[in-house]
Amino acid sequence: MKSTHIETVAIHGSMRAQKAENSPIVPGIELSTIYEHAKDGHREGDLKYSRLQNPNRLELESVLCDLEKGAEAAAFSSGIAAINSVFQTLSHGDHVLIPNDVYFGTRKLMWEFSDRWGLEIDFVDMTNLEVIEAATKKNTRMIWIETPSNPQMFITDVEAMVKWAVDRNVVVAVDNTWPTPFNMNPIDFGVDLVIHSTTKYLGGHSDLIGGAVIAKESGPLMDRVRSVQVVQGGVPSPFDAWMLCRSIRSFPYRMRAHNENASQLAAFMTSLPGIEEVFYPGLVSHPGHKIAKAQMRAFGGMISFLVSAGEPAAKKMVASSRIIKAATSLGGIESIWEHRKSTEGPLSQTPNNLIRLSVGLEHIEDLKVDLQQALESPLTT
Ligand SMILES: *Cc1c(COP(=O)(O)O)cnc(C)c1O
């Protein structure tokens, strides 16, 4: 029986079909890099060499595919390796539209490599279809979407972008790391490729790096992604693939709690003097709330906010918490935050009083107390 319920899919989607009786329920880790050839030579579908396929990676790809309702998935050794594979499906001279508040690593990838790869790129306001239309060229071949964007939480209407892209022969790629398949399935709206940093919510414990691309359909586009995966070789190890399958089995329940804690904390923060603005798409006051509500089942575990007293106060706040650790990244069971501009460096376009908070699974009252005392400490000293 194949379930469509995410809780069941997450648990059973990566359990290997066992042939023998009395076999282990939880799949083992297959470390062998090589497989014995059949007597009559290599047959189609046989395992050969673990850069090409590995049972743990196949299990991971299978559950990722089911979670995102895709036709095929490719797992990578990092989120950025997955992103890289998608840009490498393009050809010399192709034009790409990228959100101006894109994940900093994607911006950096484009800054350092787009010229060498012969790609034309434009960073645009992805909340505004008119801006996108004006930036479109004859050679526009891909549009990259993050919604909410990182770190300013701008919301893009995914369905409207797919409609726009269809007659223009433009590939729509969505980095779904922040919403996660628990809150949104971009393929429901006709998106071609979904990208994940599995390092974040899917891994969920801040102890592995990984990435994935899931395709709406098999065919030439996904064949190119697959060729970057196996020919360029940025594949995850069997151990990382196994760890990730293990984490994914509890992911829906973790995500439910991330959603709940973040929405409660965001609402609490709007009442605190000293916080100028809270960016969380679940707040009715958020400019993208209506669209977010239409395309997401819940609003995720990330909150960004501006500290009224400015950059030094924001930095001090981050250093003054007790439970919430100062660290980069997101999606783990522990709450962390950072002064985002400091992490991004001098080329950052993030407001200098912005703190990015990844809300973990601690008790909500402890998080409220910690946040408030950290906010008050720079104001009183
Ligand atoms: C972290 C992140 C990435 C990069 O993933 P890595 O696993 O660090 O390579 C890409 N996109 C988004 C939205 C992210 O948050």
Side-chain angles (χ1 to χ4, degrees):
M1 180 196 92
K2 192 150 179 173
S3 175
T4 53
H5 296 118
I6 193 166
E7 294 81 358
T8 310
V9 168
I11 294 170
H12 291 281
S14 61
M15 300 285 200
R16 200 171 309 166
Q18 300 286 7
K19 293 179 203 99
E21 277 183 46
N22 195 220
S23 50
I25 297 289
V26 177
I29 306 178
E30 297 271 356
L31 293 175
S32 183
T33 56
I34 50 175
Y35 291 82
E36 191 175 2
H37 295 175
K39 295 288 176 245
D40 52 353
H42 185 75
R43 297 167 306 200
E44 189 63 32
D46 277 0
L47 295 168
K48 194 190 234 170
Y49 180 59
S50 62
R51 171 158 44 78
L52 307 176
Q53 295 113 350
N54 159 275
N56 297 104
R57 199 168 91 212
L58 291 170
E59 281 153 19
L60 172 61
E61 290 174 346
S62 159
V63 68
L64 288 169
C65 198
D66 292 348
L67 287 174
E68 283 293 9
K69 306 179 187 174
E72 210 182 310
F76 289 85
S77 55
S78 69
I80 204 74
I83 292 170
N84 174 68
S85 79
V86 172
F87 283 104
Q88 295 218 12
T89 64
L90 294 165
S91 302
H92 211 269
D94 286 351
H95 176 240
V96 195
L97 293 172
I98 302 175
N100 47 27
D101 188 49
V102 74
Y103 164 65
F104 192 71
T106 306
R107 183 189 301 280
K108 205 163 170 196
L109 181 75
M110 286 299 98
W111 273 339
E112 296 196 12
F113 292 95
S114 60
D115 276 357
R116 281 192 237 168
W117 294 342
L119 298 181
E120 256 185 73
I121 50 168
D122 271 312
F123 293 96
V124 297
D125 175 0
M126 279 286 162
T127 64
N128 188 335
L129 193 55
E130 280 167 30
V131 171
I132 293 163
E133 295 213 329
T136 306
K137 301 180 179 181
K138 273 210 292 282
N139 56 338
T140 304
R141 282 294 150 265
M142 185 183 287
I143 185 158
W144 188 266
I145 296 172
E146 267 179 39
T147 176
S149 67
N150 177 356
Q152 296 189 70
M153 316 290 283
F154 298 133
I155 298 293
T156 297
D157 185 336
V158 176
E159 195 168 17
M161 291 320 307
V162 169
K163 267 198 202 123
W164 165 89
V166 154
D167 355 305
R168 293 174 171 83
N169 191 26
V170 172
V171 169
V172 181
V174 173
D175 182 336
N176 203 34
T177 302
W178 281 34
T180 81
F182 189 77
N183 291 331
M184 182 168 91
N185 289 119
I187 288 173
D188 283 346
F189 305 107
V191 161
D192 301 291
L193 297 175
V194 175
I195 297 90
H196 279 285
S197 167
T198 54
T199 313
K200 313 295 169 54
Y201 291 103
L202 291 165
H205 296 73
S206 310
D207 56 8
L208 63 86
I209 301 277
V213 179
I214 300 103
K216 179 179 63 177
E217 54 195 32
S218 297
L221 179 63
M222 191 56 186
D223 290 348
R224 285 188 174 201
V225 170
R226 181 76 62 198
S227 114
V228 176
Q229 180 198 34
V230 301
V231 178
Q232 297 190 7
V235 294
S237 70
F239 181 70
D240 282 352
W242 183 90
M243 286 270 283
L244 202 42
C245 288
R246 180 188 195 280
S247 293
I248 285 171
R249 293 184 192 123
S250 60
F251 150 75
Y253 284 91
R254 280 187 281 109
M255 208 56 223
R256 205 172 271 186
H258 282 294
N259 286 335
E260 190 184 310
N261 268 2
S263 50
Q264 286 196 40
L265 203 58
F268 172 70
M269 287 163 77
T270 58
S271 72
L272 294 177
I275 293 182
E276 184 182 311
E277 201 168 348
V278 182
F279 304 119
Y280 185 69
L283 294 172
V284 182
S285 58
H286 188 285
H289 176 70
K290 262 207 189 123
I291 296 169
K293 200 168 172 197
Q295 68 193 17
M296 299 174 82
R297 293 179 280 268
F299 304 102
M302 295 300 296
I303 303 173
S304 293
F305 60 99
L306 304 178
V307 177
S308 320
E311 178 169 0
K315 285 183 170 163
K316 203 156 178 203
M317 181 173 179
V318 160
S320 306
S321 53
R322 295 176 189 141
I323 292 174
I324 308 169
K325 297 279 185 261
T328 194
S329 193
L330 58 124
I333 52 175
E334 65 292 312
S335 294
I336 57 171
W337 61 7
E338 64 178 335
H339 179 251
R340 185 64 188 159
K341 198 181 184 91
S342 302
T343 302
E344 293 181 344
L347 295 172
S348 164
Q349 306 188 4
T350 299
N352 60 17
N353 59 340
L354 181 143
I355 295 176
R356 192 185 80 173
L357 167 61
S358 171
V359 182
L361 307 187
E362 299 91 347
H363 196 281
I364 184 66
E365 294 308 322
D366 293 334
L367 293 177
K368 285 183 186 170
V369 169
D370 195 28
L371 192 139
Q372 188 160 13
Q373 69 79 22
L375 175 66
E376 283 164 5
S377 67
L379 297 176
T380 51
T381 52

